[in-house]
Amino acid sequence: MGVLVDEGSNPFELACLTEVLGIDRPEIGGLLYDLHLCARRPSVGMRQGFFSMTDVAGLSALQHADTVVVPNRPDTTRPHRPDVLEAIGRAHARGARLIGMCTGAFTLAEAGVADGRRVTVHWQWADEFRGRYPRVRVDDEVLFVDDGDILTSAGSAAALDLGLHLVRRDHGAEVGAAVARRLVFPGHRPGGQRQFVERPMPRREESVLAAVLAWAEDRATGPLTVADLAARAGMSPANLHRRFRAELGCTPNQWLTAVRVEHARRLLETTDLAVDRIAHRSGLGTAANLRTRLAEQTGLTPTAYRCTYQSSGFGTAG
């Protein structure tokens, strides 16, 4: 995996990527990815001159990378360096997977690899992006977009969401959950950018929702209902629904389903239970419901998912 480092880029997203994808984790078998940093020059200054990275590999390090990560851009109006754009284009042409972090989506579009594709970008730059690249489909309500061989994140902390999604996609839900636990970060954050655009900071009196989520996550695989959540929170179901929409950008049922599907994925990876038993134990009820919900998240049937991840182990991806 080759990670580009741009002059003036925000170091936070780079740190998120290296923490999720590049750290040796003996508890899950070691390195998940063979990650290398590269840039146009061996010394690169980070945002606002906080520090510089030195001894960074050159763009030639991208020649054999099967995944290329493009960082956020400090100035989206200034054309990117032609050699960087050419390196991205060559990587895409030979089949490499491309990942754009925040305004890195501008770089992908400028390199000509995003036409007709679906991407996301930080909500602050969404309108500018649409105006400059009308042939690219922008979804500015989500934290990240997985469009097959092109993935993009909304910026800042969404780098963690996309990084964990990549781990789940490549190594399975069990490994993704283990990495999320080490990061003390939710394995799946429901909702999207809209929650931050409309109200960046929840009011103090709304902090009760965090306690309800923690209580519900331990009980989500049982016969838990929205009415149960509302009773635990001490509010009406309608008020609970409004709170979920405002703070998480999803409904209580959508949140419960996401937690249950994550549990089902882990059972598919780690047990030989029949699909109907997994549906029951994960709280999804029926095998048909499990198939539908799993396909929505992964595009796979339970059988295909199990074949892909149950014996995938903890190998290192390039």
Side-chain angles (χ1 to χ4, degrees):
M1 177 180 290
V3 180
L4 281 164
V5 185
D6 260 350
E7 190 77 25
S9 287
N10 187 345
F12 176 78
E13 290 168 27
L14 181 62
C16 288
L17 285 175
T18 54
E19 178 69 20
V20 177
L21 307 176
I23 299 297
D24 188 3
R25 301 189 184 281
E27 71 276 10
I28 56 174
L31 285 170
L32 295 177
Y33 300 91
D34 184 16
L35 189 150
H36 300 277
L37 303 181
C38 58
R40 295 184 66 252
R41 297 181 297 181
S43 179
V44 186
M46 292 288 98
R47 184 176 180 179
Q48 295 179 226
F50 284 137
F51 61 90
S52 294
M53 299 183 64
T54 59
D55 297 323
V56 183
L59 294 177
S60 60
L62 299 180
Q63 291 178 359
H64 303 292
D66 57 12
T67 299
V68 174
V69 182
V70 179
N72 62 304
R73 291 173 60 171
D75 184 355
T76 60
T77 62
R78 179 182 299 175
H80 214 306
R81 300 283 186 173
D83 51 353
V84 173
L85 299 178
E86 290 167 5
I88 294 170
R90 286 194 300 269
H92 180 69
R94 62 176 172 76
R97 177 171 59 183
L98 303 180
I99 299 176
M101 312 305 295
C102 188
T103 52
F106 282 84
T107 305
L108 296 180
E110 191 175 352
V113 300
D115 287 356
R117 307 299 293 270
R118 177 172 170 256
V119 305
T120 192
V121 68
H122 194 288
W123 56 268
Q124 285 185 312
W125 286 279
D127 289 341
E128 176 189 343
F129 189 99
R130 289 190 182 97
R132 289 174 56 184
Y133 303 107
R135 289 184 290 182
V136 184
R137 295 181 290 125
V138 181
D139 185 349
D140 60 345
E141 295 194 358
V142 296
L143 296 174
F144 63 86
V145 164
D146 182 341
D147 197 45
D149 60 345
I150 294 182
L151 298 90
T152 46
S153 72
S156 298
L160 289 171
D161 296 281
L162 179 54
L164 288 170
H165 169 76
L166 199 67
V167 172
R168 289 194 300 270
R169 171 174 153 173
D170 292 344
H171 300 280
E174 184 71 17
V175 178
V179 174
R181 286 193 297 270
R182 282 294 302 270
L183 296 176
V184 197
F185 192 79
H188 174 80
R189 280 200 298 168
Q193 292 193 71
R194 183 65 56 189
Q195 59 188 306
F196 304 110
V197 177
E198 292 179 346
R199 183 160 59 210
M201 293 291 291
R203 294 191 298 268
R204 182 178 295 274
E205 62 268 23
E206 293 175 339
S207 62
V208 65
L209 194 56
V212 172
L213 294 177
W215 174 85
E217 191 157 2
D218 291 335
R219 296 163 175 80
T221 58
L224 192 65
T225 66
V226 174
D228 295 329
L229 294 177
R232 179 72 180 184
M235 62 182 71
S236 69
N239 194 21
L240 181 75
H241 190 281
R242 286 192 290 270
R243 293 284 181 91
F244 264 78
R245 277 294 189 191
E247 293 190 44
L248 299 179
C250 67
T251 67
N253 267 327
Q254 288 170 333
W255 181 84
L256 279 172
T257 297
V259 173
R260 287 165 172 164
V261 170
E262 187 74 11
H263 188 69
R265 292 171 67 173
R266 295 175 68 180
L267 289 174
L268 285 167
E269 295 172 20
T270 60
T271 76
D272 292 320
L273 289 172
V275 172
D276 57 347
R277 290 287 298 151
I278 290 177
H280 175 74
R281 287 184 55 173
S282 64
L284 291 169
T286 67
N289 191 37
L290 168 56
R291 291 188 184 95
T292 299
R293 302 308 175 192
L294 185 68
E296 289 173 350
Q297 288 200 15
T298 69
L300 299 174
T301 65
T303 300
Y305 185 88
R306 176 171 266 163
C307 289
T308 301
Y309 293 113
Q310 191 174 55
S311 59
S312 61
F314 305 123
T316 300

